[in-house]
Amino acid sequence: MTVCEMTQRIERETLSPHASLSEESRGRRVPAPEDGIRTPYARDRDRILHCKSFRRLKHKTQVFLSPQGDHYRTRLTHTLEVSQIARTIARGLRLNEDLTEAIALGHDLGHTPFGHAGERTLNELAPFGYKHYLQSVRVVERLEKEGRGLNLTFETKNGIACHTRGKDACTLEGRVVRFADKIAYINHDIEDAITAGILEENELPYDCVAVLGRGKNPRITTMVRSLLENSGEDIRMGPEVYRAFDALHRFMYQVVYTNSAAKKEEGKACELVALLYGHLVKHPEKMPDFYRQIARDEGAERAAVDYISGMTDGYAVTAFERIFVPRSWRLEDSL
């Protein structure tokens, strides 16, 4: 019996009847031989962890654009926090941790530079719209590894596609990640907002604090415990905790996510993305070879969206400067 087969036997014997067994996966788009060590979902996790798009997340905005400080979240640290919370929930419910972690690590691979500001801009400009969760699937199916993609299992891709809104994922593991994403960002955004000086802990709604607790750790513990106590054939919080969570979410939108101090640079970011998009659609030859081929196969709009959405914040600024900002004249330029 191989290591993989032993792991799958343990899954059968120990996981919940509602868990996704790796041996029952609907498989990959391109069939691939197993390696005898890792289950299909563990291989998905590893493929995501080692891909270029995952590494670029460390230089993509979460909420605060280019914050001056070492402790603000980036898209990468957010992803890791989502993964940790999701695995804790999955373990408590005896679901498949490998699948849960794979979905969590891959859920934001398609996020634009400059956070949701970049996403809104591309959604307004691209004729086919733009949703980061769908782009995340395109990254793992089409864009990674120079067009070969990561060839992930159906269940991992479905969880990534359904992690934000719309219909629920077909697995409980995918539904866990949807909750973990919300739990992570609402709590770390509070912490970052306090660090930035635009919010104080005592300004949080009293009714929410009374139910969820004061401080990041107590709030996360309350939400996770509520999910563990109320989930079964589906993933759900208890009514009281969910109402408090929902109210806290609305408060954050009013006070932080639309705060002028936190968002003062968003207009510039949106204009930068819009100008890049317009230029690249008109001049697809300015893109790298891989994206020029996408332009030939699927159109310049599609190629521009793929190229821009994969940029880090810094790369986008550099690309903008290279295209639109005049260089200082030097003698050797005229030779």
Side-chain angles (χ1 to χ4, degrees):
M1 184 177 289
T2 66
V3 173
C4 178
E5 289 169 339
M6 287 190 289
T7 301
Q8 290 177 328
R9 184 178 69 181
I10 293 170
E11 288 181 359
R12 289 195 303 272
E13 294 173 351
T14 62
L15 293 186
S16 162
H18 307 301
S20 301
L21 300 181
S22 61
E23 65 185 3
E24 296 178 356
S25 170
R26 291 170 58 174
R28 308 180 189 280
R29 181 168 56 86
V30 179
E34 298 302 335
D35 65 7
I37 299 175
R38 298 165 297 170
T39 68
Y41 299 146
R43 294 183 77 185
D44 282 358
R45 175 201 61 210
D46 294 349
R47 290 178 182 191
I48 291 168
L49 189 63
H50 291 283
C51 77
K52 291 180 180 179
S53 299
F54 184 81
R55 295 196 292 276
R56 289 199 298 268
L57 294 176
K58 68 180 178 180
H59 295 303
K60 291 193 176 190
T61 288
Q62 177 61 25
V63 171
F64 295 91
L65 294 179
S66 302
Q68 296 299 308
D70 293 334
H71 300 128
Y72 291 93
R73 269 70 173 191
T74 65
R75 191 62 59 179
L76 177 61
T77 55
H78 161 72
T79 294
L80 296 177
E81 292 183 33
V82 172
S83 177
Q84 178 269 315
I85 293 170
R87 286 190 60 191
T88 297
I89 298 167
R91 185 179 302 122
L93 295 174
R94 292 190 298 120
L95 299 176
N96 195 306
E97 288 186 53
D98 286 336
L99 174 58
T100 303
E101 187 175 22
I103 296 169
L105 293 177
H107 81 281
D108 269 356
L109 292 179
H111 239 300
T112 60
F114 311 117
H116 289 287
E119 180 175 21
R120 287 195 303 271
T121 302
L122 288 183
N123 188 49
E124 292 169 1
L125 294 174
F128 41 80
Y130 186 90
K131 298 290 184 291
H132 78 271
Y133 45 92
L134 298 181
Q135 186 68 15
S136 294
V137 176
R138 182 168 170 83
V139 167
V140 300
E141 279 192 330
R142 174 74 172 87
L143 302 181
E144 267 294 333
K145 301 185 78 170
E146 297 300 316
R148 299 190 303 277
L150 301 181
N151 196 28
L152 305 182
T153 62
F154 168 84
E155 292 79 12
T156 297
K157 292 188 294 185
N158 173 264
I160 292 172
C162 299
H163 82 266
T164 297
R165 55 175 60 90
K167 65 181 181 180
D168 289 333
C170 67
T171 65
L172 293 193
E173 289 82 359
R175 300 178 193 187
V176 163
V177 172
R178 180 183 283 199
F179 269 104
D181 184 31
K182 295 176 181 179
I183 292 171
Y185 78 66
I186 199 74
N187 284 288
H188 64 51
D189 290 352
I190 290 172
E191 191 170 63
D192 282 357
I194 292 172
T195 300
I198 63 176
L199 178 67
E200 294 184 8
E201 182 78 32
N202 60 17
E203 293 178 317
L204 297 176
Y206 174 79
D207 292 345
C208 299
V209 172
V211 173
L212 301 176
R214 184 172 297 280
K216 178 187 67 175
N217 292 347
R219 282 192 299 269
I220 292 176
T221 299
T222 298
M223 295 176 189
V224 169
R225 180 177 290 118
S226 182
L227 286 167
L228 296 179
E229 292 174 349
N230 290 277
S231 299
E233 295 183 0
D234 200 0
I235 308 300
R236 59 174 63 88
M237 287 182 182
E240 183 181 26
V241 171
Y242 186 79
R243 283 195 295 270
F245 165 77
D246 191 49
L248 185 59
H249 192 264
R250 293 196 302 271
F251 169 82
M252 287 294 289
Y253 262 95
Q254 295 168 1
V255 175
V256 175
Y257 299 141
T258 57
N259 183 278
S260 58
K263 300 299 181 181
K264 63 182 179 180
E265 298 297 304
E266 269 199 2
K268 297 177 185 177
C270 293
E271 186 68 14
L272 184 153
V273 170
L275 287 170
L276 277 179
Y277 175 82
H279 180 82
L280 294 172
V281 168
K282 291 181 179 178
H283 303 283
E285 72 278 2
K286 300 293 186 181
M287 291 185 276
D289 291 345
F290 176 65
Y291 297 98
R292 290 205 296 270
Q293 186 59 52
I294 292 177
R296 289 190 288 270
D297 295 342
E298 304 178 57
E301 293 87 355
R302 179 74 264 177
V305 165
D306 288 341
Y307 184 35
I308 294 170
S309 65
M311 295 178 179
T312 63
D313 294 16
Y315 187 94
V317 171
T318 299
F320 177 87
E321 291 176 343
R322 187 172 63 247
I323 294 170
F324 294 105
V325 177
R327 292 189 303 163
S328 298
W329 182 85
R330 295 173 300 176
L331 178 60
E332 56 265 31
D333 291 337
S334 64
L335 299 178

